[in-house]
Amino acid sequence: QVRLVESGGGLVQAGGSLRLSCAASGRTVSSTTMAWFRQAPGKEREFVAAIRRFGGGTYYTDSVKGRFTISRENAENTVTLQMNNLTPEDTAVYYCAEGQSIILSSITNERSYVHWGQGTRVTVSS
């Protein structure tokens, strides 16, 4: 059984940084596609970033390019999201997701992902 547990959320001022972690069990993160999604209050859940299996590349939504970095820590079987230069628009609950055999054209679609974490809240104050 695959289980994902996020951590690292919190309250930060605009311009600050946070590092989110997603600890996986039941699946090796290097062998699957891992992603971060977020859901802001009153909005639908949206894709943030993904990292494909076996060094297949990283992908970001336009609003976070140059500020966020997704990476794998294989020894710890975790996926991290380093978030820099945060703005109030980044305020949301952030979810880790996992899915195998995801084609590139579907990588931003939440329906492509099978397993989800419980989410971690990020609040950015102005």
Side-chain angles (χ1 to χ4, degrees), residues 6-105:
E6 303 97 334
S7 62
L11 173 64
V12 64
Q13 289 187 331
S17 298
L18 280 175
R19 184 177 178 88
L20 305 184
S21 291
C22 173
S25 58
R27 185 89 78 210
T28 302
V29 295
S30 61
S31 67
T32 190
T33 296
M34 301 293 296
W36 289 93
F37 286 76
R38 67 186 179 185
Q39 187 167 20
K43 296 186 177 180
E44 294 185 352
R45 189 156 56 184
E46 65 171 354
F47 171 81
V48 176
I51 184 166
R52 296 187 79 192
R53 61 183 182 176
F54 304 130
T58 57
Y59 304 88
Y60 301 91
T61 192
D62 286 346
S63 63
V64 308
K65 285 180 181 177
R67 301 189 298 122
F68 290 13
T69 302
I70 187 171
S71 61
R72 276 190 294 257
E73 309 296 334
N74 290 338
E76 299 177 0
N77 208 36
T78 61
V79 174
T80 62
L81 185 68
Q82 178 66 43
M83 307 187 296
N84 298 326
N85 194 22
L86 286 160
T87 73
E89 288 68 38
D90 296 314
T91 294
V93 177
Y94 284 71
Y95 297 91
C96 178
E98 180 273 343
Q100 292 192 309
S101 304
I102 298 177
I103 60 175
L104 186 55
S105 60

